[in-house]
Amino acid sequence: MTSTAPESAAPAAVAVPDVESFGTRIWENIKGGNLGSWPVIVGLTGIVIVFSLTAQNFFTAVNFNNVIAQMAGVTMLAYGVVFVLLLGEIDLSIAYVSAVAGVVAAELQKPGTSYGLPGIWPIVVAVLVAALIGAFQGSFVALIGVPSFVVTLAGLLA
């Protein structure tokens, strides 16, 4: 008795999209306003071209170090906002809360005051203040059920 493989086990032909349908799909996306990440890519490419032609130190290690150092604070805030957005919520008070934390840290390390804290303690207190503000706002969302948009907008306006 010999067994033969069923015809359905033969490998299926893979359809290769043609250039015309690809171009048509791109044009339909543009007409529909679905640009995706193309505006960002085009904008960043333009910025790199302009600054590389006008600034001699654009592609130097010192410039890259300065850009990375200046991005640190904003990048940390962006990580937090991404996690909030992934949960399906929104946080409109992030600038307010981070500014309050910055002012608290600056005031606590001001020299010549009776409350001048040494070392890392102003940063610890500033993080605690930001956490308390976040816990206060989060309690309205979690316990009462007020939408995060309303709570954080009220925090921003306060």
Coordinates of all heavy atoms in Angstrom, one line a residue, residues 50-88:
V50 N 20.0 70.7 6.7 CA 20.3 72.1 6.9 C 21.3 72.4 8.0 O 22.3 73.1 7.7 CB 18.9 72.8 7.4 CG1 19.2 74.2 7.9 CG2 18.0 72.9 6.2
F51 N 21.3 71.7 9.1 CA 22.3 71.9 10.1 C 23.6 71.3 9.8 O 24.7 71.9 10.2 CB 21.8 71.4 11.5 CG 20.8 72.3 12.1 CD1 19.5 72.0 12.2 CD2 21.2 73.6 12.6 CE1 18.6 72.8 12.8 CE2 20.3 74.4 13.2 CZ 19.0 74.1 13.3
S52 N 23.7 70.3 9.0 CA 25.0 69.7 8.7 C 25.7 70.6 7.6 O 26.9 70.7 7.6 CB 24.8 68.3 8.1 OG 24.1 68.3 6.9
L53 N 24.9 71.4 6.8 CA 25.5 72.3 5.9 C 25.9 73.6 6.5 O 26.8 74.3 6.0 CB 24.5 72.5 4.7 CG 24.3 71.3 3.8 CD1 23.2 71.6 2.8 CD2 25.6 70.8 3.2
T54 N 25.2 74.0 7.6 CA 25.4 75.3 8.2 C 26.3 75.3 9.4 O 26.9 76.3 9.7 CB 24.1 76.0 8.5 OG1 23.4 75.2 9.4 CG2 23.2 76.3 7.3
A55 N 26.4 74.3 10.1 CA 27.2 74.2 11.3 C 28.3 73.2 11.2 O 28.0 72.0 10.8 CB 26.3 73.8 12.5
Q56 N 29.5 73.7 11.4 CA 30.7 72.8 11.2 C 30.8 71.7 12.3 O 31.4 70.7 12.0 CB 31.9 73.6 11.1 CG 32.0 74.5 9.9 CD 33.2 75.4 9.9 OE1 34.0 75.3 10.8 NE2 33.4 76.2 8.9
N57 N 30.2 72.0 13.4 CA 30.4 71.1 14.5 C 29.1 70.2 14.7 O 29.0 69.6 15.8 CB 30.7 71.8 15.8 CG 29.5 72.7 16.2 OD1 28.6 73.0 15.4 ND2 29.5 73.2 17.5
F58 N 28.3 70.0 13.7 CA 27.1 69.3 13.9 C 27.3 67.8 14.1 O 26.7 67.2 14.9 CB 26.2 69.5 12.6 CG 24.8 68.8 12.7 CD1 23.9 69.3 13.6 CD2 24.5 67.7 12.0 CE1 22.6 68.7 13.7 CE2 23.3 67.1 12.1 CZ 22.4 67.6 13.0
F59 N 28.2 67.2 13.4 CA 28.5 65.8 13.5 C 29.7 65.5 14.4 O 30.5 64.6 14.1 CB 28.7 65.1 12.1 CG 27.5 65.0 11.3 CD1 27.3 65.7 10.1 CD2 26.5 64.2 11.7 CE1 26.2 65.5 9.4 CE2 25.3 64.0 11.0 CZ 25.1 64.7 9.8
T60 N 29.9 66.3 15.5 CA 31.0 66.0 16.4 C 30.5 65.3 17.6 O 29.3 65.4 18.0 CB 31.6 67.4 16.8 OG1 30.7 68.2 17.4 CG2 32.2 68.1 15.6
A61 N 31.4 64.7 18.4 CA 31.0 64.0 19.6 C 30.5 65.0 20.7 O 29.6 64.7 21.4 CB 32.2 63.3 20.1
V62 N 31.1 66.2 20.7 CA 30.6 67.2 21.7 C 29.2 67.6 21.4 O 28.4 67.7 22.4 CB 31.5 68.5 21.6 CG1 31.0 69.6 22.5 CG2 32.9 68.1 22.0
N63 N 28.8 67.8 20.2 CA 27.4 68.1 19.9 C 26.5 67.0 20.2 O 25.4 67.2 20.8 CB 27.3 68.5 18.4 CG 25.9 69.0 18.1 OD1 25.3 69.8 18.9 ND2 25.3 68.6 16.9
F64 N 26.8 65.7 19.9 CA 26.0 64.6 20.3 C 25.8 64.5 21.8 O 24.8 64.2 22.3 CB 26.5 63.3 19.7 CG 26.3 63.1 18.2 CD1 27.4 62.8 17.4 CD2 25.1 63.4 17.7 CE1 27.1 62.7 16.0 CE2 24.8 63.2 16.3 CZ 25.9 62.9 15.5
N65 N 26.9 64.7 22.5 CA 26.9 64.7 24.0 C 25.9 65.8 24.5 O 25.1 65.5 25.4 CB 28.3 64.9 24.5 CG 28.3 64.6 26.0 OD1 27.5 63.9 26.6 ND2 29.2 65.3 26.7
N66 N 26.0 67.0 23.9 CA 25.1 68.0 24.4 C 23.6 67.7 24.1 O 22.8 68.0 24.9 CB 25.5 69.4 23.7 CG 26.7 69.9 24.2 OD1 27.2 69.6 25.3 ND2 27.4 70.8 23.4
V67 N 23.4 67.1 22.9 CA 22.0 66.8 22.6 C 21.5 65.7 23.5 O 20.3 65.8 24.0 CB 21.9 66.3 21.1 CG1 20.6 65.7 20.8 CG2 22.2 67.5 20.2
I68 N 22.2 64.7 23.8 CA 21.8 63.6 24.7 C 21.6 64.2 26.1 O 20.6 63.8 26.8 CB 22.8 62.5 24.7 CG1 22.8 61.8 23.3 CG2 22.6 61.5 25.8 CD1 23.9 60.8 23.1
A69 N 22.5 65.1 26.6 CA 22.3 65.6 27.9 C 21.1 66.5 28.0 O 20.4 66.5 29.0 CB 23.6 66.4 28.3
Q70 N 20.8 67.2 27.0 CA 19.6 68.1 27.0 C 18.3 67.3 26.8 O 17.2 67.8 27.2 CB 19.7 69.2 25.9 CG 20.8 70.2 26.2 CD 21.0 71.1 25.0 OE1 20.3 71.1 24.0 NE2 22.0 72.0 25.2
M71 N 18.4 66.1 26.2 CA 17.2 65.3 26.0 C 16.8 64.5 27.3 O 15.7 64.0 27.3 CB 17.4 64.3 24.9 CG 17.3 64.8 23.5 SD 17.7 63.6 22.3 CE 17.4 62.1 23.0
A72 N 17.6 64.4 28.2 CA 17.4 63.4 29.4 C 16.1 63.7 30.1 O 15.3 62.8 30.3 CB 18.6 63.5 30.3
G73 N 15.9 64.9 30.5 CA 14.7 65.2 31.3 C 13.4 65.0 30.5 O 12.4 64.4 30.9
V74 N 13.4 65.5 29.2 CA 12.2 65.4 28.4 C 11.9 63.9 28.0 O 10.8 63.5 28.0 CB 12.4 66.2 27.1 CG1 11.2 66.1 26.2 CG2 12.5 67.7 27.5
T75 N 13.0 63.2 27.8 CA 12.9 61.8 27.5 C 12.2 61.0 28.7 O 11.4 60.1 28.5 CB 14.2 61.2 27.1 OG1 14.8 61.9 26.1 CG2 14.1 59.7 26.7
M76 N 12.7 61.3 29.9 CA 12.1 60.6 31.0 C 10.6 60.9 31.2 O 9.8 60.1 31.5 CB 12.8 61.0 32.3 CG 14.2 60.5 32.4 SD 14.4 58.7 32.1 CE 13.5 58.0 33.5
L77 N 10.2 62.2 30.9 CA 8.8 62.5 30.9 C 8.0 61.8 29.8 O 6.9 61.4 30.0 CB 8.6 64.0 30.8 CG 9.1 64.9 31.9 CD1 9.0 66.4 31.6 CD2 8.4 64.6 33.2
A78 N 8.7 61.7 28.7 CA 8.0 61.0 27.6 C 7.8 59.5 27.9 O 6.7 59.0 27.5 CB 8.9 61.1 26.3
Y79 N 8.7 58.9 28.6 CA 8.5 57.5 29.0 C 7.3 57.4 29.8 O 6.4 56.5 29.6 CB 9.7 56.9 29.7 CG 10.9 56.5 28.9 CD1 12.2 56.9 29.2 CD2 10.7 55.7 27.7 CE1 13.2 56.5 28.4 CE2 11.7 55.3 27.0 CZ 13.0 55.7 27.3 OH 14.1 55.3 26.5
G80 N 7.1 58.2 30.8 CA 6.0 58.2 31.7 C 4.7 58.4 30.9 O 3.7 57.7 31.1
V81 N 4.7 59.4 30.0 CA 3.5 59.7 29.2 C 3.1 58.5 28.3 O 1.9 58.1 28.1 CB 3.7 60.9 28.4 CG1 2.5 61.1 27.4 CG2 3.7 62.1 29.3
V82 N 4.1 57.8 27.7 CA 3.8 56.6 26.9 C 3.1 55.5 27.7 O 2.2 54.9 27.2 CB 5.1 56.1 26.3 CG1 4.9 54.7 25.7 CG2 5.6 57.0 25.2
F83 N 3.6 55.3 28.9 CA 2.9 54.3 29.8 C 1.5 54.7 30.1 O 0.6 53.8 30.0 CB 3.7 54.1 31.0 CG 5.0 53.3 30.8 CD1 6.1 53.8 31.4 CD2 5.0 52.2 30.1 CE1 7.3 53.1 31.2 CE2 6.2 51.5 29.9 CZ 7.4 52.0 30.4
V84 N 1.2 56.0 30.3 CA -0.1 56.4 30.6 C -1.0 56.3 29.3 O -2.1 55.8 29.4 CB -0.1 57.9 31.1 CG1 -1.5 58.5 31.1 CG2 0.5 58.0 32.4
L85 N -0.5 56.6 28.2 CA -1.2 56.5 26.9 C -1.5 55.0 26.6 O -2.6 54.7 26.0 CB -0.5 57.2 25.8 CG -0.4 58.7 25.9 CD1 0.5 59.2 24.8 CD2 -1.8 59.3 25.8
L86 N -0.5 54.1 26.9 CA -0.8 52.7 26.6 C -1.9 52.1 27.5 O -2.6 51.2 27.1 CB 0.5 51.9 26.9 CG 1.6 52.1 25.8 CD1 2.9 51.3 26.2 CD2 1.1 51.6 24.5
L87 N -2.1 52.7 28.6 CA -3.2 52.3 29.5 C -4.6 52.9 29.0 O -5.6 52.6 29.6 CB -3.0 52.8 30.9 CG -1.8 52.0 31.6 CD1 -1.6 52.7 33.0 CD2 -2.2 50.6 31.8
G88 N -4.5 53.7 28.0 CA -5.8 54.3 27.5 C -6.2 55.6 28.2 O -7.3 56.0 28.1

